[in-house]
Amino acid sequence: MQERSSVAELAQVLKQELNRYSPGEKLPSSRALVERHRVSPVTVSRALARLAAEGLVVTRPGAGAFRARPRAATPPAGDTSWQEVSLSADSAGDAVPRSVDASGVLVTLAAPPTGVIEFNGGYLHPSLQPERALAAALARAGRRPGAWGRPPVDGLPELRDWFAREIGGTVGAADVLVTAGGQAAITTALRALAPPGAPVLVESPTYPGMLAVARAAGLRPVPVPADRDGVRPDLLAAAFRATGARVFVAQPLFQNPTGAVLAGERRHEVVRIAREAGAFVVEDDFARSLAHEDAPPLPAPLAADDPDGVVVHVRSLTKATSPSLRVGALAARGPVLERLRAIQVVDSFFVPRPLQEAALELVGSPAWSRHLRAVSAALRARRDTMATALALHLPALALPHIPSGGHHLWLRLPDTTDEPALLAAALRAGVAVAPGRPYFCAEPPAGHVRLGFAGVAGPAEIAEGVRRLRAAHDEVTA
C-alpha cells in the first residue's frame, strides 16, 4: 500500500476513535499507535498532522496529541459576490480574457481517492525517484559554506555551466539562467517574448500547462498540427504568415502528449522558418532525461546549433527526479537574455541557494548516472507492459505511436466513445486517466486519453489499471 493511502486510512480510523476521549484529553502515544495499527512512525505522524489541520486534535511537542476543544461558532460568511464584476471587468480597449483555466494542469497534480490507480500522473513514482541520492545531496549541500546565503541572480556558476554542457553546441554558462523548474521557465519565456493579446503558435495537441501559462499572460494560442514526425513545417510557415506571431512553442523530443520526435529533416526547417518570420522558438526539452532503454541516439537540442539566437531553450531536473526538486534552466542568446533575466528577477528574485546546491551535488555524484540508467530501463519495461495490455484488452483504443521516451501513451478513442463519460466511468472503476480535451487549444479532431505509466507502483498495477479501464470502456459502450 502506498504511504499516502496508509496515512488516509489511519487518519480515518483515529477520527472515529476520537469520541472515546474528552476535549483536552491526551491520545495514546505515537509508539502505542504504531504498535496498535501496525504502521510506521512516519504514517502516525502524518495522520495526526492531518487531524490537526482539520482542527480535531492538538499536538504539543514533547507532550503528545490531545483531542481539540470544540471550536467557537463560525462567523457568518462575508459577501464576495462583488468580486465577479471586478474580476470580469476589462480595462478600456482590452479584449484579452482575464480568467485562467488550470483544469488541464490540476488533473495531473491532484491525488485521486485512496485505491484509485493513477494513470493521470506526470511524475515518477516514489520507487523510481532517487530519494537516497537526493537526501545525501541535500545533506552535503547544507554543509557547504554559505549554503544559506544569497545566490547570484542568474544562478550558481557551476550549475549554469553544467546545464550549458548538457545543452551542448556553442551554448555557454553565460547564456544560461537557473529557474525554479520548467513551468517557471516557460512562464518567464512567454512573458518576455510576446505582449498581452499577441498570438503564440503551439503544437497541436500540446502540454496543457503551457496553454494555461499563455492564457494567463493574455496570449492567444494558435494550433499548428503535428504528426508522428513532429510539427509540420508547411503548416508552421502558413501559421506565421496568417497570424504574424513572433513565438512558436515546441517540444521536439518525446512531445507531450504524442511522444513524437521532430524528424531530422524538419529540425533545421523549423528554425529557418521562425528566423525568416522574425520569431523565436521556445524549445521545451522536458523529457531528455526520460529516454527509454531502447531509444536510438537522441538528436541534439535545437539550441545547440543556433548561432542567431532564434531558440530559447527550457529544461528541468524535476521530471527525472522529484516533483519537489524544482530546478531548471533557460538558455538564450542576444538581447532577449537580458529581458528574460529582468522578468525572472521581478517575479522571484532568484532560485533558493540550498536547492541549487543540492541539485549541483546530485548531478555531480556517481548516483546520478546510475539513477538515469535505472529510470531508462524501468520506463521501457512499464511502457511495454502498458502497450501490451492495451493491445490485448482495449484494441478499440488506437495507439498510433509507441514512444521511445517520456512517461505516457496517447490514445485516440473510437468516434462512438464519449470522452467525459469514459473518464467518469474509469474513476468509478478505480483508475484515473488524463482527458485529451485540455491538450487542444481549438476543437479536438477526436476524443483522446493520456495514460501515464511512470507514476504507478509497477507492472502489476499497470495491468490492473488497464483491466479497470477495460471495464469502464465496456460500461460506456454497452
Side-chain angles (χ1 to χ4, degrees):
M1 181 182 296
Q2 295 184 25
E3 178 70 20
R4 188 175 62 223
S5 302
S6 301
V7 170
E9 292 176 2
L10 179 59
Q12 187 60 35
V13 170
L14 295 179
K15 189 182 297 186
Q16 294 170 354
E17 294 178 353
L18 281 178
N19 289 331
R20 303 177 185 174
Y21 305 93
S22 303
E25 185 178 353
K26 185 176 180 180
L27 276 61
S29 68
S30 294
R31 179 177 295 179
L33 292 175
V34 166
E35 294 175 354
R36 178 188 302 175
H37 298 283
R38 298 184 182 277
V39 293
S40 72
V42 172
T43 298
V44 169
S45 175
R46 291 180 176 175
L48 289 173
R50 182 172 294 194
L51 296 184
E54 295 179 22
L56 300 176
V57 302
V58 175
T59 57
R60 299 171 188 160
F66 303 80
R67 181 179 176 182
R69 300 187 183 280
R71 293 179 177 178
T74 303
D79 180 8
T80 61
S81 58
W82 65 271
Q83 293 185 8
E84 276 192 67
V85 178
S86 180
L87 292 173
S88 62
D90 295 326
S91 59
D94 184 6
V96 179
R98 301 173 69 192
S99 62
V100 179
D101 182 5
S103 59
V105 182
L106 292 173
V107 75
T108 64
L109 296 177
T114 300
V116 174
I117 294 175
E118 295 184 63
F119 280 173
N120 61 328
Y123 297 104
L124 297 179
H125 187 267
S127 64
L128 297 180
Q129 295 173 19
E131 291 188 349
R132 288 186 179 179
L134 281 167
L138 193 60
R140 292 194 301 271
R143 293 193 296 268
R144 285 188 171 192
W148 290 92
R150 184 180 65 193
V153 169
D154 291 355
L156 297 180
E158 302 91 339
L159 188 56
R160 294 167 65 201
D161 182 65
W162 181 84
F163 275 118
R165 285 185 277 110
E166 287 290 300
I167 298 169
T170 58
V171 175
D175 304 317
V176 175
L177 303 175
V178 176
T179 68
Q183 187 75 359
I186 293 172
T187 300
T188 297
L190 290 184
R191 288 184 58 201
L193 301 177
V200 56
L201 305 186
V202 301
E203 297 164 317
S204 183
T206 193
Y207 167 52
M210 188 277 298
L211 295 177
V213 165
R215 289 168 176 146
L219 305 178
R220 296 185 291 109
V222 176
V224 182
D227 55 29
R228 63 182 304 159
D229 290 324
V231 69
R232 288 180 49 184
D234 58 330
L235 298 180
L236 178 63
F240 273 125
R241 289 193 300 269
T243 65
R246 293 293 179 265
V247 182
F248 169 52
V249 185
Q251 293 179 327
L253 187 65
F254 309 134
Q255 197 258 0
N256 182 8
T258 65
V261 176
L262 186 62
E265 64 274 12
R266 295 186 181 185
R267 296 170 60 78
H268 289 291
E269 189 72 358
V270 165
V271 176
R272 181 192 64 79
I273 289 169
R275 176 69 181 84
E276 291 181 354
F280 291 96
V281 175
V282 177
E283 178 186 26
D284 181 8
D285 202 15
F286 79 102
R288 187 162 293 270
S289 297
L290 299 178
H292 301 168
E293 198 175 41
D294 59 346
L298 303 184
L302 298 180
D305 183 23
D306 172 40
D308 297 333
V310 174
V311 180
V312 174
H313 182 87
V314 173
R315 69 166 50 198
S316 171
L317 290 171
T318 306
K319 289 293 187 184
T321 56
S322 160
S324 291
L325 187 65
R326 306 210 65 78
V327 176
L330 272 169
R333 292 173 171 145
V336 69
L337 183 62
E338 183 56 37
R339 184 177 294 184
L340 292 167
R341 177 187 293 112
I343 288 180
Q344 173 161 294
V345 168
V346 168
D347 282 350
S348 57
F349 290 177
F350 46 74
V351 177
R353 182 161 191 153
L355 207 55
Q356 293 191 57
E357 296 278 11
L360 191 57
E361 287 282 354
L362 176 66
V363 299
S365 71
W368 178 240
S369 58
R370 292 197 298 268
H371 167 66
L372 293 182
R373 288 194 297 271
V375 168
S376 179
L379 291 182
R380 177 191 181 181
R382 288 159 177 252
R383 177 206 66 193
D384 290 347
T385 297
M386 179 173 279
T388 300
L390 289 169
L392 181 63
H393 298 294
L394 278 167
L397 305 190
L399 179 58
H401 176 61
I402 297 179
S404 57
H407 47 58
H408 61 267
L409 298 178
W410 178 245
L411 295 100
R412 176 170 175 150
L413 304 181
D415 292 340
T416 55
T417 301
D418 180 78
E419 182 182 311
L422 177 62
L423 264 66
L427 202 55
R428 290 194 297 272
V431 58
V433 302
R437 180 64 185 86
Y439 291 81
F440 296 89
C441 61
E443 292 76 10
H448 292 79
V449 292
R450 197 193 77 160
L451 305 184
F453 48 76
V456 293
E461 195 164 79
I462 291 174
E464 173 61 17
V466 171
R467 187 196 67 76
R468 295 181 185 184
L469 186 59
R470 166 64 187 269
H473 185 263
D474 288 347
E475 174 188 330
V476 299
T477 57

